[in-house]
Amino acid sequence: MVKVITYGTYDLLHYGHIRLLERAKALGDYLIVGVTADDFDKSRGKLNVQQSLMERVLAVQATGIADEIIVEEYEGQKIDDIQRYNVDIFTVGSDWVGTFDYLNEYCKVVYLDRTQGISSSEIRAKENTRFGVVGYSNMARKFVAECNFVNGVSATDIFAPEGCDEDELRSNGLNICHSYDELLDNVEAIYVISAPDKHYEQVKLALSRGKHVICESPISLSAEQTKELLTIAAENKCVLYEGIKTAYATAFSRLIAIAKSGAVGDIKSVEATCTSLRTEEEIEKGEVLGALDEWGPIAMLPVLELLGTEYTSKELITFKNEKSGLDTFTKVNFRYPQAVASIKVGVGVKSEGELIISGTKGYIYVPAPWWKTEYFETRFENAEANRRYFYSLEGEGIRYEISAFMRAMKNLPNLYVSRKVSVAISTVFEDFHAGRDVVCM
Ligand code: C2G
């Protein structure tokens, strides 16, 4: 019996895939098809896959061509599989010519002509979602660039504040809208990166016009307003995503899952630090966001995800710039019934940007910059039990955020930031700006 193996994502199965499978089967007597796992596709930069692994497996199975289906989960698995299943022939489409020649050491390698004129990415791209950008900053530039890594998405229009360099905006391929209404007319979704005090009105209008929204956190500066916006989004069947890019990074979602699994015991303390020094002049002129605006949502994310939103008390200890009134360094202490947490955020103070999650059996250590980490450790009294984890992160997680948002738009809700956490973040901002629980140094 001649055993053949081939691999693929097989998203939105089409006749190009089926022809490949038919010709692969014809090379021997028994065909094994390796369907790529979601994380493996993500790690090799294949984003915005529309269908889940199971949907793709079932679609391949329904062709009746494969004799066996396995899941491809990691780099190098092909060698293991070829040896494990005693494969005679590896085959794949000619778009991969040369890539798998190294497998000649283990079995025969055959490249089959790719079927012209059809591809999953072309199918995805047909549903191209036009994104409008509201506001402009370094993060907006990154967002526009990151859209290029996600099939079926493009940042096309911008409604920017006065004084923006219009030549630069045009050089990024952005159509400059001179009114917010004009922007909303041109796009299906918007990315809001304007000043936090503008978010509520802008997001509300967009949702009322049936637009999907990614909004930089906080969604609004009041808990009630955030609740109202989330309700409007649900009523209008629109997606409203809290734009905290850290939430979409694989390493972060894995460390949260490991912490919740009890691997380091009961979580008793979460300490998160985020700082980035701005110049005294920028701070005095108010040209930058304050520390809590800049870093608060990111720093609070692990606290609220792991310990919840029902803290018994909090205290915001803050240092403010006398001229602009911006907070240059703020420490927030949370007390929970069975745990404590603290975040330190700064734009006028520099510190070690690490995240430490302390438990009754051990702790999770995430080195700086933890908010865009690819790496973390679980550490224990017996150092031999320590483990290290690595998950690649491209583009600081923004492309994964966009990809998750696109899936959510297709009713595949992967709420990375829950409604409760969004409301809790807005509550902290509301209290901070109202001076509640605040100690000014
Ligand atoms: N294919 C084809 N003709 C097309 C589209 C795809 O012959 N018009 C082939 C591809 O060459 C591949 C298989 O169908 O052999 C599955 O294609 P994809 O789902 O796009 O998967 P791909 O990312 O190419 O997977 O490690 C090998 C990769 O997993 C191959």
Side-chain angles (χ1 to χ4, degrees), residues 26 109 134 145 211 236 238:
V109 174
V134 185
K211 308 300 176 183
N236 290 14
C238 289

Side-chain angles (χ1 to χ4, degrees), residues 219-230:
I219 289 177
S220 85
L221 295 175
S222 115
E224 286 315 308
Q225 287 180 344
T226 294
K227 286 178 190 168
E228 180 193 353
L229 293 174
L230 288 164

Side-chain angles (χ1 to χ4, degrees), residues 66 72 88 98 128 204 227 288 291 301 303 335 380 411 419:
E72 183 179 29
D88 303 295
N128 188 47
K204 188 172 182 179
K227 286 178 190 168
V288 294
L301 193 61
V303 173
R335 284 185 63 180
F380 303 90
N411 303 317
R419 177 190 176 92

Side-chain angles (χ1 to χ4, degrees), residues 8-10 17 44 46 78 92-93 95-96 100 114-115 118:
T9 303
Y10 292 102
H17 294 140
R44 65 189 186 122
K46 196 159 187 179
K78 293 179 175 72
V92 74
D95 42 323
W96 294 92
F100 300 107
R114 178 185 174 84
T115 302
I118 181 89

Side-chain angles (χ1 to χ4, degrees), residues 7 11 29 40 45 103 119 123 157 207 264-265 267 293 331 434:
Y7 295 82
D11 190 32
D29 311 301
F40 182 53
L103 294 175
S119 76
I123 295 171
D157 297 73
L207 293 173
V264 294
I267 306 299
D293 280 351
K331 185 170 194 262

Side-chain angles (χ1 to χ4, degrees), residues 136-438:
Y136 205 58
S137 66
N138 197 31
M139 184 56 75
R141 286 184 193 88
K142 288 179 183 175
F143 183 89
V144 171
E146 286 290 288
C147 282
N148 298 321
F149 292 93
V150 184
N151 269 157
V153 173
S154 47
T156 55
D157 297 73
I158 184 164
F159 175 59
E162 295 294 318
C164 271
D165 177 352
E166 296 204 351
D167 292 339
E168 182 205 352
L169 301 183
R170 289 193 188 90
S171 69
N172 282 321
L174 292 169
N175 167 49
I176 299 170
C177 296
H178 295 291
S179 75
Y180 188 48
D181 274 329
E182 180 190 346
L183 178 91
L184 294 179
D185 287 340
N186 291 351
V187 299
E188 291 82 49
I190 63 169
Y191 169 62
V192 178
I193 181 89
S194 51
D197 60 3
K198 293 190 170 56
H199 290 180
Y200 172 67
E201 293 300 337
Q202 288 172 339
V203 171
K204 188 172 182 179
L205 183 55
L207 293 173
S208 62
R209 298 270 294 271
K211 308 300 176 183
H212 302 283
V213 179
I214 298 183
C215 180
E216 277 299 311
S217 187
I219 289 177
S220 85
L221 295 175
S222 115
E224 286 315 308
Q225 287 180 344
T226 294
K227 286 178 190 168
E228 180 193 353
L229 293 174
L230 288 164
T231 302
I232 295 171
E235 288 167 351
N236 290 14
K237 294 187 175 32
C238 289
V239 178
L240 172 52
Y241 254 29
E242 185 108 27
I244 306 177
K245 60 185 182 300
T246 301
Y248 306 89
T250 307
F252 181 78
S253 50
R254 286 287 185 283
L255 76 87
I256 293 293
I258 287 171
K260 285 182 174 176
S261 75
V264 294
D266 297 332
I267 306 299
K268 289 296 177 188
S269 165
V270 178
E271 299 156 281
T273 302
C274 305
T275 63
S276 53
L277 268 188
R278 298 286 191 261
T279 65
E280 184 79 19
E281 188 186 1
E282 284 175 314
I283 294 172
E284 291 196 342
K285 287 183 177 174
E287 290 172 354
V288 294
L289 293 175
L292 198 69
D293 280 351
E294 178 81 27
W295 289 111
I298 290 179
M300 282 190 270
L301 193 61
V303 173
L304 299 172
E305 290 287 348
L306 289 174
L307 301 179
T309 56
E310 304 303 316
Y311 47 82
T312 46
S313 69
K314 72 175 174 294
E315 182 186 47
L316 297 96
I317 306 165
T318 188
F319 295 77
K320 292 201 174 182
N321 176 281
E322 287 168 12
K323 287 190 180 168
S324 63
L326 288 179
D327 64 310
T328 56
F329 183 65
T330 298
K331 185 170 194 262
V332 186
N333 295 321
F334 296 91
R335 284 185 63 180
Y336 287 81
Q338 302 297 325
V340 292
S342 82
I343 68 166
K344 289 185 294 217
V345 292
V347 293
V349 170
K350 191 69 189 157
S351 184
E352 184 66 15
E354 60 191 11
L355 169 61
I356 300 175
I357 300 167
S358 309
T360 53
K361 291 181 187 167
Y363 66 98
I364 295 174
Y365 176 72
V366 193
W370 69 266
W371 54 87
K372 51 184 179 181
T373 193
E374 299 180 316
Y375 167 80
F376 62 91
E377 297 179 20
T378 51
R379 294 179 177 174
F380 303 90
E381 195 59 42
N382 167 17
E384 288 175 8
N386 292 359
R387 288 198 60 187
R388 294 170 177 77
Y389 299 83
F390 178 84
Y391 298 94
S392 64
L393 179 71
E394 306 293 335
E396 298 184 19
I398 299 171
R399 63 188 73 173
Y400 306 131
E401 175 181 4
I402 298 167
S403 174
F405 180 75
M406 294 305 295
R407 289 168 67 89
M409 280 174 63
K410 293 183 172 45
N411 303 317
L412 296 171
N414 282 322
L415 257 189
Y416 288 74
V417 181
S418 69
R419 177 190 176 92
K420 279 199 307 183
V421 168
S422 289
V423 173
I425 289 171
S426 293
T427 303
V428 170
F429 277 89
E430 183 175 352
D431 291 346
F432 181 65
H433 291 295
R436 278 191 296 273
D437 303 330
V438 176

